[in-house]
Every structure is written in C-alpha cells, then in structure tokens.
Amino acid sequence: MTFQSYFENRKEQHMQELKEWLSIPSISALSVNKPDVCRAAEWLSEALKRAGLENVSIHETKGHPVVYADYVRGEDKPTVLVYGHYDVQPVDPLGLWETPPFEPTVRDGKLYARGATDDKGQLFLHIKAVEAFLEQGLPLPVNIKFCVEGEEEIGSPHLPSFLEQNRELFAADYVLISDTSLLEKGRPAISTGLRGLCSLEVAVTSARTDLHSGSYGGGVPNALHAIAALLTSLHDEQGRVTVAGFYDDVPELSDLDREEFAKLAFDEEKLKQELGLDELYGEEGYSFVERVGARPTLEVNGLYGGFQGEGTKTVIPRVATAKITSRLVGTQNPQDILDKVERHLKAHIQSGATVTVTQLERGNPFTMNPATPVLQKAADAYERVYGVRPVFTKDGGSIPIVEAFSRLLDVPVVLMGFGLPDENLHAPNEHFNLENFDLGLLTITTFLQLLSESKN
C-alpha cells in the first residue's frame, strides 16, 4: 500500500480525531481555561501512544505541561525532534465567528476551528506520518522525538529552562517544526528566519475616579486623550518607530536581500483586494514582504478605557490601557527594546497623567542559511509532493522557542509549514485547507525518508 492510499483510507478517521482535539478550548492565556489546557495535553499523550510512540510522558512546569514521546531504534539513524504546541489563542471577538470556535466544522474544503492551522492541525500531521510507518510495519527511517508545549501562545516562558534542564532527553540532529505557512496555494515555502518578539502593557491614569464631563470636561486630564497622544508619539509620518535607539541593531537590507524578496513576486494589489484595503501601510521605502520579513515593528494590539456599553455616558475616564508588541530582527534584544519603549512612554506622557508599564513576553529573532543541507532535503520533499520547488522566505511571525532550540541544542531547525497566509490564525474563523492536510502528510513522510539517506 502506498502512503497516498494509506492516508486516503484513513482520512475520515483522522479528521474525526483531529476534530476531537480541536474541540478542547486549550487557551493558555486565560486562567479559567487551565483545566482545558491540561485536558488537551492528556488527549495528545493518548494520541501519541495510539500512534505507536514510546516513553510518552507529561512533564509539569511552573506553567502548562510539556508532552514528550519518542521512538528511538538505532544510532545509525538521524534523530529528529518534532516541536509543536497544543495551546491556542483566545477567540475574541466571538461574534465574528461563523461557527463556534470549538465546534470544528468542515465547509468548502476547509476545517474551521480555533487551533486548526495554529498549531494543532499542523502538529497532528507529524503524529499521523509516524503512525503511517509503524502501523504498516515499515521501519521508521529516523529516530523521532516529540516535544509539545502548552505555552507557545504566551511566549513559551517556561520551555527554555525546561530544555536546559533536559538537554540529553531532547538531544537530536534536527528540530522539525510545522507552524508556518506556504507562500500561497500551490507554492510551498521554507522559512529561514523569524522575527523576535517582546510585549508590554501600558496603563495611563489621571484623577482618582471617573468624572462627569459636564462638571470637569476641559479642565482636567482625560486618560483616553493622554494615551491616544502617547501612542501616536511612537511613530512618525513615514511609519518609522520614533523610540530612541530602536533601530540600533537592525541591519540594512542589502541589494542581494532585496533581490531575494523580489523573487517572491508578491502581488500587493491582490493582497489589498483580499483584505478589503485601499492602501497598505508601513515603513516608507520598503515593500510589503520586506516590511513583514526583515523590518522591526511596534504595534498597538489592544486599546480600551472609559464607557464601552450601548448608548452614551458622559464620563471622563480615569484610566486607559493599551497592549503593545514589537517584532524584532537582526540582533535586536527583547529586553533592550522593552526598556527603550518604556523610557519613551514615561518621557512622553501628557502633563497631569501618569503611566505604568508592565513588561511581558520576550523572544529572540532567528535566522538560518538556506544552503544548509537539511533545508535542501526539505525542499526536495516539497518538490516531490507539490511538483514545485519551495521558495525560502523570512517569516514575519514569531515562534520564540525556535531560537532557543537552535542555541541550546546546537542543531539546525527546519520550518516546514503547511498553512496558508489567509487562514485567519489568531483571528475569527481560523481554518486549515484540507488540500494541504493531505499534501502535508505525504511531504512529511517523504522528508523523513530523505533524511535517512545521511546525517548531513
């Protein structure tokens, strides 16, 4: 039986299993969902056992647990460590979902659910690829290990220390991750770079209490006005971040860099149509793919304060808050950027208001040479299945643990994604195109077979 017919015969079964996992609301950011996060880890543990993996175990951390499993059969085989995460993003705004986020639904060849593409759906491919070898009695061409965490969506705060304490357990020749996307339908991509990440929350306060706007309006500080002015001060009219020293460790794009980005032949007009935009926006002097792949950002992700209900309430709010993230490139250090942004915010706060900054996530940028032999094997696998050789890209997103894997284990990290850029990860109506579910299974099995040819 070929792998293609094997997967075709089990497609309905695989889909039912994945739907079961996706129905667990494993939202790591919300304390109320902690029991669900644990339940998702337990479900994964059982799935790994059913697939034939050995030494399956759930390791507690100071946060959410890490799930481990392996199948090691020979020193002559390369060892691949598969990383993924079973936690998911919050679902807000719930009203924009066409179907409930934790009631997985297939329509138009797409599986809709929170976590469908980020990252339960993509991780599930690796479990079923390994199972395909073992269930058919075929020798697994590599030694395999799984490291699956429940805190990626909150910046993996506890996994780096867990890795340091368990380096021997996770020792491998390669790390394999599917948590990125194709360039577009039918055009696979291998990411050779990820932006780093840091985040903070800022609170602006004024008076001791909310005030009546008729009695006090125009005579006292307004927290919402103050935070709006403060956030506006973070960028100039050309889209550049105005924080002092923000670009100190950002390399300028070389002519070769720009040639490589141009090879992607990215259609900005098509993107505008898909997003319903009249114009794109960003740092002046750079294309869209350059902005999201090789330039740092500072973004406001949430802003709230004052009256939020229906109708009108004539109030001057005493407090307003905002959530801010930066995507980092080059040798930008997350702690350094957080400190610089905090200094800027405190220096530019409106007179009469006060600002409090709470620093949150920190993750380093990651980059890898596309000429690395294992990346070329990954490209071979994509080409055999998709019929076209993948492009090497730099991804605008952040997977903070990738840099930690590369540094702590001192091995190449292979980022083989099977999502698509428009699958609404982190947004309402997240989904996974089932065409890439099918092709992803074949690509992974092909890649594992190609890896068995050598340990280079």
Side-chain angles (χ1 to χ4, degrees):
M1 182 185 295
T2 65
F3 280 110
Q4 186 166 356
S5 59
Y6 170 88
F7 290 128
E8 185 63 32
N9 290 339
R10 286 157 180 78
K11 187 170 183 176
E12 185 175 341
Q13 173 192 333
H14 289 170
M15 199 54 47
Q16 286 305 119
E17 290 180 24
L18 179 55
K19 285 181 177 180
E20 186 178 300
W21 197 22
L22 290 170
S23 69
I24 302 173
S26 50
I27 304 171
S28 54
L30 303 180
S31 58
V32 69
N33 289 99
K34 185 173 178 60
D36 299 307
V37 177
C38 293
R39 190 155 55 94
E42 292 164 358
W43 188 98
L44 173 61
S45 174
E46 292 303 313
L48 290 165
K49 292 175 184 176
R50 289 195 302 270
L53 275 297
E54 300 172 340
N55 300 309
V56 181
S57 51
I58 298 177
H59 298 260
E60 296 300 327
T61 71
K62 292 181 180 179
H64 300 306
V66 173
V67 180
Y68 174 84
D70 65 33
Y71 192 90
V72 179
R73 282 293 186 274
E75 293 183 2
D76 59 324
K77 297 180 179 182
T79 298
V80 178
L81 175 63
V82 175
Y83 163 82
H85 64 93
Y86 61 85
D87 65 319
V88 300
Q89 282 276 331
V91 298
D92 313 74
L94 185 59
L96 295 183
W97 286 80
E98 293 183 26
T99 51
F102 296 110
E103 294 181 16
T105 305
V106 174
R107 58 181 185 273
D108 302 322
K110 303 170 184 178
L111 175 61
Y112 285 81
R114 175 59 89 223
T117 190
D118 183 21
D119 176 44
K120 289 179 180 176
Q122 296 203 55
L123 174 63
F124 189 76
L125 297 176
H126 292 274
I127 301 171
K128 293 306 169 185
V130 172
E131 184 180 71
F133 284 99
L134 301 181
E135 189 173 279
Q136 295 181 95
L138 300 174
L140 192 62
V142 299
N143 295 319
I144 202 99
K145 297 180 179 180
F146 279 82
C147 172
V148 188
E149 68 161 321
E151 297 186 326
E152 195 277 339
E153 298 294 8
I154 54 174
S156 303
H158 299 106
L159 188 54
S161 61
F162 186 79
L163 286 176
E164 287 193 77
Q165 295 163 14
N166 296 275
R167 289 193 194 202
E168 186 173 341
L169 180 66
F170 294 113
D173 296 295
Y174 314 108
V175 175
L176 176 58
I177 302 174
S178 293
D179 197 9
T180 52
S181 67
L182 282 69
L183 188 66
E184 61 184 13
K185 179 180 172 62
R187 291 189 67 193
I190 297 174
S191 177
T192 60
L194 295 165
R195 292 192 288 189
L197 173 72
C198 61
S199 66
L200 58 84
E201 186 168 312
V202 54
V204 171
T205 55
S206 52
R208 293 179 179 175
T209 184
D210 290 354
L211 299 170
H212 190 292
S213 65
S215 302
Y216 294 93
V220 297
N222 181 314
L224 277 172
H225 292 183
I227 202 168
L230 187 60
L231 297 177
T232 300
S233 76
L234 292 169
H235 295 85
D236 64 19
E237 293 183 357
Q238 287 72 47
R240 283 181 62 86
V241 177
T242 56
V243 173
F246 185 82
Y247 294 97
D248 285 353
D249 299 308
V250 177
E252 284 300 323
L253 287 179
S254 66
D255 291 341
L256 181 60
D257 290 331
R258 296 201 133 155
E259 288 175 11
E260 289 300 312
F261 278 116
K263 288 179 183 177
L264 301 179
F266 189 83
D267 190 339
E268 294 192 0
E269 289 301 318
K270 180 181 177 182
L271 177 65
K272 286 192 287 187
Q273 292 175 10
E274 290 175 347
L275 299 180
L277 294 172
D278 293 329
E279 294 293 339
L280 300 178
Y281 173 82
E283 189 181 0
E284 194 172 279
Y286 298 92
S287 67
F288 174 81
V289 289
E290 290 170 345
R291 290 169 183 162
V292 301
R295 299 298 294 170
T297 68
L298 193 156
E299 300 281 358
V300 178
N301 307 121
L303 175 63
Y304 46 98
F307 179 60
Q308 304 288 316
E310 183 179 358
T312 301
K313 182 180 181 183
T314 54
V315 65
I316 298 174
R318 67 167 296 273
V319 62
T321 60
K323 295 181 183 293
I324 297 173
T325 56
S326 279
R327 302 287 178 170
L328 311 177
V329 301
T331 57
Q332 284 183 301
N333 179 279
Q335 187 60 60
D336 177 59
I337 295 300
L338 285 171
D339 292 341
K340 286 174 177 176
V341 174
E342 181 170 346
R343 284 196 293 271
H344 177 99
L345 293 170
K346 290 181 176 178
H348 289 78
I349 188 62
Q350 187 182 94
S351 177
T354 59
V355 62
T356 302
V357 176
T358 303
Q359 298 185 7
L360 300 170
E361 300 163 285
R362 299 163 182 82
N364 293 314
F366 166 79
T367 188
M368 188 171 172
N369 187 343
T372 305
V374 68
L375 295 189
Q376 293 301 318
K377 287 184 180 291
D380 292 340
Y382 272 120
E383 187 171 13
R384 291 189 186 186
V385 175
Y386 280 82
V388 59
R389 197 157 185 86
V391 295
F392 290 96
T393 64
K394 292 191 181 296
D395 200 296
S398 304
I399 310 176
I401 200 61
V402 170
E403 185 273 340
F405 273 120
S406 176
R407 173 171 43 84
L408 294 173
L409 301 183
D410 192 26
V411 296
V413 180
V414 185
L415 295 166
M416 295 182 71
F418 299 97
L420 284 174
D422 63 353
E423 288 180 335
N424 289 22
L425 63 164
H426 293 204
N429 302 310
E430 179 182 346
H431 58 276
F432 192 11
N433 281 263
L434 296 182
E435 175 188 22
N436 290 319
F437 182 92
D438 298 335
L439 295 175
L441 288 166
L442 295 174
T443 304
I444 292 169
T445 52
T446 301
F447 178 56
L448 296 181
Q449 290 171 313
L450 291 174
L451 279 182
S452 69
E453 297 174 1
S454 73
K455 293 180 67 173
N456 296 325

